[in-house]
Amino acid sequence: MNDYHERLTKILLEKNNHITYEQALTWVELLWEDFEATYAKAGHEYAGEEMTSRVVQTWIDNYGEQFHEFIAKNPKYKHLLNQQNRLH
């Protein structure tokens, strides 16, 4: 497993005790992929895992406590974050 993902997952679990390890890892992977895809679509050169890790950690620091509330407001993502239907 990617060391960055593991570290970020642990940070998210410290911020939010309403989600499981699998959900936290899924959040990290979704945020990671979203940032890299958006950055590339904007025409920027790949800045590396360290930059992506810093951005994802900033999002976790700012919003991680509320990630479990996202499902109620955005049901189209429920299947990705539902405990019974884990990605992993």
Side-chain angles (χ1 to χ4, degrees):
M1 172 184 288
N2 185 321
D3 289 338
Y4 289 108
H5 288 185
E6 183 66 26
R7 184 180 60 79
L8 292 167
T9 299
K10 289 178 182 178
I11 292 169
L12 178 52
L13 286 170
E14 290 173 6
K15 298 282 285 181
N16 190 324
N17 63 356
H18 299 286
I19 59 176
T20 65
Y21 173 87
E22 289 82 9
Q23 289 172 318
L25 180 58
T26 299
W27 269 111
V28 168
E29 290 172 347
L30 289 171
L31 293 169
W32 189 281
E33 290 172 15
D34 183 60
F35 173 75
E36 287 192 338
T38 302
Y39 202 71
K41 286 179 186 176
H44 299 289
E45 284 189 38
Y46 181 64
E49 291 181 328
E50 182 63 36
M51 167 125 178
T52 303
S53 177
R54 284 194 310 265
V55 170
V56 172
Q57 183 168 348
T58 298
W59 291 341
I60 289 170
D61 290 343
N62 292 330
Y63 308 109
E65 294 174 358
Q66 303 158 343
F67 282 174
H68 65 282
E69 298 171 3
F70 182 82
I71 295 171
K73 296 176 185 171
N74 298 282
K76 77 177 189 173
Y77 295 101
K78 186 175 184 175
H79 71 285
L80 294 174
L81 299 164
N82 187 338
Q83 288 183 344
Q84 276 75 35
N85 299 321
R86 297 181 182 131
L87 277 178
H88 310 282

